[in-house]
Amino acid sequence: MEHQLSIVLGTYNRLDQLQRCVESIVSQTKTAFRLYVTDAGSTDGTVEYLQSIAGENIIPVLVGKKLGQAKAYNDVFNIVTTPYVCWLSDDNEVIDHGLDRAVSIIRTDPSIGMVALKTKDLQGPFVDAPFIGGVSSTGILNVNQGLLPTALLKKIGGFSEEFRDYGIDNALTAEVLFAGYKVVYSRKVALQHYRNWSEDPTSENYQWLKQRHEAAKVLYEERYGNQNSQELSGSYRMKTKVARRVKAGAKRYLTNDYVRTSAAVRTCFIILSSRYISILDPILTFGRDYHLVQKKGPGELL
């Protein structure tokens, strides 16, 4: 069977998580795929594990040093030849045939440029959220892991290596959207995420991550804030005003546990907070395997 999907996965010294991720891909994916695993020089048995499972469908890319996530992924994107490609992290676990559903979604509409693989944290500070994904300062709902046509990814140029590690997925989301394509979220959770997160603000790891995130945020605003600097439409101002009122009402009348864990409430907040999702999204996507459709252009909000 001709391969349809390339899955690109980066790893470094996280053998247990990598094994879980690879096993989930194999067991939960019926679409003919090639899995490329790029390793940055692991010393915990990862290289030996990858060599033991290498074959036509699983291809280790033993780089042997840290290049930064953007370049490591881009080097693999350059050799991909399948119609579709997605990127994952080694702390992801594919569930409920999530990649198959994403391929099916993107095949339904050539105007869809990216399918966000809806992700649920199983550990870390966002474990109570029904799914992760934040709206950026530019009003764009970011994609953490996604699937898109290979030709489009190469046309855009892959991940921005200027970001190196953090913010690469947010930047790619913006590039796809500003190129005139739709960005959609899978309706069902496709990935579980075992987030490695230090919650101690005094720890060295916490401070390192904070600095990286802040630097990426500044760069993102410099690059994409200007593209979004035109006067905000009345519809968007109305949406953000309603969003503030809805959030205030939720805090007043609903329990914190319900607000944190309700998928319907989170979806509502995202629609009202995002610049490029129509307020009619629940109606327009009714009965489909995807929702939270972002589209830039005339009528993007209504």
Side-chain angles (χ1 to χ4, degrees), residues 139-208:
I140 299 174
L141 173 60
N142 294 319
V143 174
N144 296 95
Q145 268 77 39
L147 182 148
L148 65 168
T150 303
L152 175 59
L153 177 66
K154 292 187 176 183
K155 178 181 177 181
I156 290 172
F159 286 127
S160 170
E161 295 182 14
E162 192 175 1
F163 285 86
R164 183 177 168 86
D165 294 299
Y166 293 95
I168 59 175
D169 42 10
N170 298 352
L172 185 60
T173 305
E175 292 289 344
V176 172
L177 184 63
F178 291 153
Y181 292 87
K182 296 176 185 175
V183 177
V184 309
Y185 259 59
S186 63
R187 190 174 294 276
K188 293 183 179 180
V189 171
L191 303 175
Q192 292 179 335
H193 184 207
Y194 296 83
R195 184 187 297 268
N196 289 321
W197 186 286
S198 174
E199 298 186 60
D200 178 7
T202 64
S203 70
E204 182 178 345
N205 180 254
Y206 184 98
Q207 293 299 322
W208 182 81

Side-chain angles (χ1 to χ4, degrees), residues 39 48-50 82 87 89 104 124 133 157 164 181 189 192 197 224 228 233 247-249 253 278 283:
D39 179 78
E48 292 76 12
Y49 166 69
L50 290 175
T82 54
W87 76 93
S89 297
S104 177
R164 183 177 168 86
Y181 292 87
V189 171
Q192 292 179 335
W197 186 286
Y224 301 108
N228 249 26
S233 68
K247 289 180 179 179
Y253 297 109
S278 168
I283 298 173

Side-chain angles (χ1 to χ4, degrees), residues 14-44:
R14 297 205 289 197
L15 177 58
D16 291 344
Q17 292 187 334
L18 175 64
Q19 288 177 316
R20 178 175 56 212
C21 182
V22 171
E23 290 169 4
S24 73
I25 292 170
V26 173
S27 66
Q28 292 293 315
T29 309
K30 295 182 179 179
T31 303
F33 69 86
R34 279 201 173 103
L35 170 61
Y36 296 86
V37 185
T38 175
D39 179 78
S42 296
T43 57
D44 64 345

Side-chain angles (χ1 to χ4, degrees), residues 104-267:
S104 177
I105 289 169
I106 208 162
R107 282 174 170 168
T108 65
D109 185 348
S111 69
I112 296 177
M114 184 188 295
V115 178
L117 303 167
K118 186 179 283 184
T119 302
K120 172 78 170 72
D121 272 4
L122 295 190
Q123 60 189 44
F126 308 120
V127 69
D128 289 336
F131 60 93
I132 61 173
V135 177
S136 74
S137 58
T138 62
I140 299 174
L141 173 60
N142 294 319
V143 174
N144 296 95
Q145 268 77 39
L147 182 148
L148 65 168
T150 303
L152 175 59
L153 177 66
K154 292 187 176 183
K155 178 181 177 181
I156 290 172
F159 286 127
S160 170
E161 295 182 14
E162 192 175 1
F163 285 86
R164 183 177 168 86
D165 294 299
Y166 293 95
I168 59 175
D169 42 10
N170 298 352
L172 185 60
T173 305
E175 292 289 344
V176 172
L177 184 63
F178 291 153
Y181 292 87
K182 296 176 185 175
V183 177
V184 309
Y185 259 59
S186 63
R187 190 174 294 276
K188 293 183 179 180
V189 171
L191 303 175
Q192 292 179 335
H193 184 207
Y194 296 83
R195 184 187 297 268
N196 289 321
W197 186 286
S198 174
E199 298 186 60
D200 178 7
T202 64
S203 70
E204 182 178 345
N205 180 254
Y206 184 98
Q207 293 299 322
W208 182 81
L209 286 172
K210 183 179 178 181
Q211 291 174 3
R212 289 294 185 95
H213 288 156
E214 289 177 350
K217 184 177 180 180
V218 170
L219 180 58
Y220 178 91
E221 185 62 35
E222 289 176 351
R223 174 172 293 185
Y224 301 108
N226 290 335
Q227 296 190 48
N228 249 26
S229 62
Q230 63 266 37
E231 184 179 355
L232 297 181
S233 68
S235 297
Y236 183 52
R237 288 197 298 270
M238 177 188 69
K239 283 178 67 178
T240 55
K241 184 181 295 185
V242 171
R244 288 193 294 269
R245 291 181 178 178
V246 169
K247 289 180 179 179
K251 291 179 180 179
R252 180 178 301 177
Y253 297 109
L254 301 175
T255 66
N256 288 333
D257 285 343
Y258 181 76
V259 171
R260 286 198 307 269
T261 61
S262 170
V265 171
R266 175 151 180 74
T267 299

